[in-house]
């Protein structure tokens, strides 16, 4: 007999996007430029010179996109707000045109019975704030809390689940350590400072929410479990460093008020000391944790891998187009780790998905994406297993609703459960989208069918 994959009755099924990746019209209605608006114009930083100037044109087509979600039967939608639409200079003056857009979006979602999950920051810092040091400037915590408060005042109540930051690790690692993402710095001294001010900003926004908001607020992190390539002491130590850097660096301060010990070992003289009161600010109780899961890494000691001295060992396995190993068990393992290490917080899987090669043309009204179908099914089963092991998982947001601008990889990688023809802007649900609709409609039962 096949297993029954029924999910808990109020499990929240949805999908996710982010502002810069889909909206287009970056300067419309009085918006200011963001660091991504600049970064895409820096020669060589984005594949094929792609930009988010049009992307999925969602800023103008949001009503159709909400209808698409309704047709798929989605119960929730995770999106982000472009800070520079709401505050073109990042602080001070509020731009009504930008704020109105998100209000219209939220109202349209609610009219269609779709719950909004709003992320305040998904990587698109107002360029004017970058000119003042961006995440390196301690004042960013106040700027962020002020912006957050503007959003709370306008939308709390209609939005009941808020997230402060999306993936502070990627913001820091990509933006300040390796330079592959905006603002494109590559500096070992800057990275820990950016991380810390991201965390302080998160704390300040949670604190502001307690004063203004009546519902729930959380933080979204990407977690990638690290497994040792061998039993050697060196490899096991490399796993500890890699895990501290990517996974515990953000959660330990939020849950325990301290950084992992390995951080000093990794950054050496570049690792600063911070005042105690910063940890009190960072350690605000949160209502839920957003967990973005894509892959794992099998880790070994590598003296030449800067700055972690940890490398990745390729497996005999399926890899996605972004070079990530498909490893659903890592999702179950990490949920169990969150349960054990951090006291079983309510978790939403706020992103999970895969870029695979899709056929170039849509045949009739269908597009078959068997590898993405397989990925989706296996990861949802992995979550079901974790729930069976007592993990408090409350929802799942498929990444992504639409094919979109995959940051510095441009439009070359497609993560959508809905195909987007970037010439015509036509949307076509892929087989993965159609399967997801069945899973949502059956609250998981469709996963019980074999394959
Ligand atoms: C980000 C998304 C991104 C996805 C796939 C996550 O790190 O939050 O914006 O598109 O991964 O790379």
């Amino acid at each position: 007999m096949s297993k029954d994959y029924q999910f808990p009755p109020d499990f929240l099924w949805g999908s996710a996007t982010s502002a810069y990746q889909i909206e287009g019209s970056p300067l419309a209605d009085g918006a200011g430029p963001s660091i991504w608006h600049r970064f895409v114009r820096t020669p060589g930083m984005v594949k094929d010179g792609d930009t988010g100037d049009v992307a999925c044109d969602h800023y103008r087509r949001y009503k159709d996109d909400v209808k698409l979600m309704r047709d798929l039967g989605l119960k929730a939608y995770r999106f982000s707000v472009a800070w520079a639409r709401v505050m073109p200079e990042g602080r001070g003056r509020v731009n009504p045109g930008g704020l109105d857009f998100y209000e219209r979006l939220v109202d349209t979602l609610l009219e269609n019975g779709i719950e909004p999950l709003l992320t305040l920051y998904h990587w698109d810092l107002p360029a004017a704030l970058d000119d003042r040091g961006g995440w390196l400037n301690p004042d960013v915590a106040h700027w962020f809390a002020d912006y957050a408060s503007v959003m709370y005042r306008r939308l709390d109540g209609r939005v009941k689940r808020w997230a402060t930051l999306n993936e502070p690790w990627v913001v820091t690692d990509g933006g300040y350590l390796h330079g592959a993402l905006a603002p494109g710095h590559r500096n070992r001294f800057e990275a820990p400072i950016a991380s810390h001010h991201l965390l302080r900003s998160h704390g300040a926004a949670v604190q502001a929410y307690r004063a203004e908001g009546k519902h729930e607020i959380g933080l979204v992190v990407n977690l990638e479990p690290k497994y040792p390539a061998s039993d050697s002491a060196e490899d096991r130590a490399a796993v500890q460093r890699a895990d501290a850097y990517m996974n515990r660096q953000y959660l330990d301060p939020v849950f325990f008020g301290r950084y992992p010990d390995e951080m000093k070992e990794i950054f050496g003289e570049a690792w600063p000391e911070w005042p105690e009161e910063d940890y009190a600010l960072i350690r605000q109780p949160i209502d839920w944790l957003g967990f973005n899961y894509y892959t794992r890494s099998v880790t070994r000691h590598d003296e030449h891998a800067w700055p972690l001295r940890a490398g990745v060992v390729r497996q005999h396995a399926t890899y996605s187009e972004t070079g990530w190993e498909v490893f659903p068990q890592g999702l179950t393992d990490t949920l169990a780790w969150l349960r054990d290490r951090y006291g079983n917080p309510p978790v939403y899987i706020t992103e999970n998905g895969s870029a695979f090669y899709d056929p170039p043309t849509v045949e009739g009204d269908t597009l078959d994406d068997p590898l993405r179908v397989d990925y989706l099914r296996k990861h949802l089963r992995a979550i079901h297993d974790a729930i069976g092991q007592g993990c408090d998982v409350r929802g799942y947001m498929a990444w992504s609703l639409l094919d979109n601008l995959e940051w510095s990889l441009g439009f070359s990688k497609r993560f959508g459960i809905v195909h987007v023809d970037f010439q015509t802007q036509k949307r076509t649900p892929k087989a993965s989208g159609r399967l997801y609709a069945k899973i949502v409609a059956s609250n998981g039962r469709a996963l019980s069918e074999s394959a």
Side-chain angles (χ1 to χ4, degrees):
M1 230 182 72
S2 64
K3 193 167 163 181
D4 182 2
Y5 283 98
Q6 182 84 350
F7 275 64
D10 41 10
F11 194 80
L12 198 61
W13 298 97
S15 71
T17 62
S18 89
Y20 191 73
Q21 292 180 277
I22 64 163
E23 286 177 353
S25 309
L27 303 180
D29 301 326
S34 75
I35 52 173
W36 271 92
H37 190 73
R38 279 187 182 165
F39 195 68
V40 297
R41 288 169 170 72
T42 310
M45 296 319 284
V46 177
K47 190 171 183 324
D48 302 328
D50 287 342
T51 76
D53 286 1
V54 178
C56 304
D57 200 21
H58 171 81
Y59 190 79
R60 299 192 305 163
R61 293 168 194 261
Y62 72 94
K63 281 194 178 145
D64 293 340
D65 288 337
V66 173
K67 184 172 175 302
L68 181 68
M69 293 178 221
R70 197 195 56 199
D71 291 348
L72 290 170
L74 303 187
K75 313 259 184 272
Y77 175 51
R78 172 176 177 245
F79 65 96
S80 77
V81 171
W83 184 345
R85 287 198 194 282
V86 176
M87 290 171 135
E89 292 86 30
R91 39 180 220 138
R93 187 174 64 91
V94 173
N95 172 39
L99 203 45
D100 289 352
F101 168 69
Y102 293 107
E103 180 165 71
R104 287 197 298 274
L105 173 62
V106 165
D107 287 344
T108 309
L109 288 164
L110 293 173
E111 280 157 23
N112 284 279
I114 299 169
E115 180 178 334
L117 271 72
L118 188 157
T119 302
L120 289 162
Y121 185 71
H122 199 127
W123 307 359
D124 45 359
L125 190 74
L129 295 185
D130 194 48
D131 293 340
R132 294 174 174 269
W135 294 110
L136 300 171
N137 185 332
D139 290 344
V140 72
H142 307 294
W143 302 335
F144 185 62
D146 286 349
Y147 150 63
S149 298
V150 169
M151 297 308 304
Y152 304 151
R153 273 175 225 136
R154 179 64 80 96
L155 290 177
D156 191 55
R158 282 177 279 176
V159 173
K160 296 193 170 125
R161 284 187 185 89
W162 296 80
T164 55
L165 308 172
N166 180 68
E167 301 187 350
W169 180 81
V170 177
V171 175
T172 310
D173 183 80
Y176 293 89
L177 189 68
H178 290 111
L181 302 174
H185 301 194
R186 190 183 154 85
N187 188 317
R188 181 170 62 100
F189 284 82
E190 287 186 358
I193 298 172
S195 279
H196 191 68
H197 295 323
L198 279 156
L199 282 169
R200 288 180 53 252
S201 302
H202 156 77
V206 174
Q207 214 169 43
Y209 190 71
R210 300 302 173 211
E212 306 267 1
K214 294 191 180 48
H215 301 278
E216 295 188 0
I217 191 156
L219 169 70
V220 174
V221 290
N222 58 305
L223 301 172
E224 189 181 293
K226 312 291 176 187
Y227 300 81
S230 81
D231 275 346
S232 75
E234 274 198 321
D235 285 353
R236 279 187 279 118
V239 162
Q240 289 308 313
R241 286 193 299 279
D243 177 58
Y245 176 56
M246 196 161 172
N247 302 325
R248 285 178 277 127
Q249 183 180 181
Y250 300 93
L251 294 182
D252 280 10
V254 169
F255 285 96
F256 306 144
R258 60 176 152 76
Y259 285 103
D261 293 340
E262 293 89 344
M263 297 310 298
K264 198 164 176 50
E265 189 192 335
I266 296 165
F267 283 96
E269 57 174 351
W271 185 255
E273 296 290 324
W274 300 106
E276 256 328 293
E277 67 253 30
D278 285 6
Y279 295 100
L281 176 63
I282 293 168
R283 196 185 181 179
Q284 305 290 318
I286 53 174
D287 303 305
W288 55 276
L289 182 69
F291 166 22
N292 295 352
Y293 179 79
Y294 289 93
T295 188
R296 70 152 169 184
S297 78
V298 176
T299 303
R300 71 177 173 89
H301 180 85
D302 177 355
E303 206 48 47
H304 305 292
W306 176 86
L308 276 184
R309 291 181 297 120
V312 176
V313 181
R314 214 178 150 86
Q315 304 298 297
H316 295 287
T318 305
Y319 279 78
S320 73
E321 281 257 300
T322 43
W324 299 338
E325 183 191 347
V326 177
F327 192 70
Q329 181 64 41
L331 181 46
T332 317
D333 292 352
T334 308
L335 285 166
W337 176 78
L338 286 173
R339 178 197 61 202
D340 297 342
R341 185 175 175 85
Y342 297 109
N344 208 13
V347 170
Y348 290 83
I349 304 300
T350 33
E351 285 180 33
N352 173 243
S354 52
F356 284 112
Y357 176 78
D358 288 331
T361 50
V362 179
E363 293 297 329
D365 264 342
T366 62
L367 186 149
D368 281 331
D369 56 342
L371 293 172
R372 196 176 289 100
V373 161
D374 192 53
Y375 185 102
L376 177 69
R377 218 185 240 136
K378 287 185 173 146
H379 285 78
L380 287 172
R381 287 174 177 165
I383 294 167
H384 191 270
D385 288 352
I387 294 172
Q389 294 169 28
C391 301
D392 189 0
V393 190
R394 308 267 176 102
Y396 177 88
M397 304 295 129
W399 185 270
S400 182
L401 176 69
L402 303 169
D403 291 334
N404 59 45
L405 183 91
E406 180 50 24
W407 304 110
S408 47
L409 300 173
F411 297 105
S412 68
K413 303 289 176 251
R414 292 175 177 269
F415 277 87
I417 56 171
V418 173
H419 177 269
V420 176
D421 179 330
F422 292 106
Q423 304 302 318
T424 61
Q425 291 294 343
K426 182 169 190 288
R427 277 80 160 130
T428 309
K430 302 179 189 178
S432 54
R434 286 181 276 123
L435 171 68
Y436 191 50
K438 282 193 199 150
I439 293 169
V440 174
S442 63
N443 199 28
R445 279 236 154 96
L447 289 164
S448 314
E449 291 155 22
S450 58

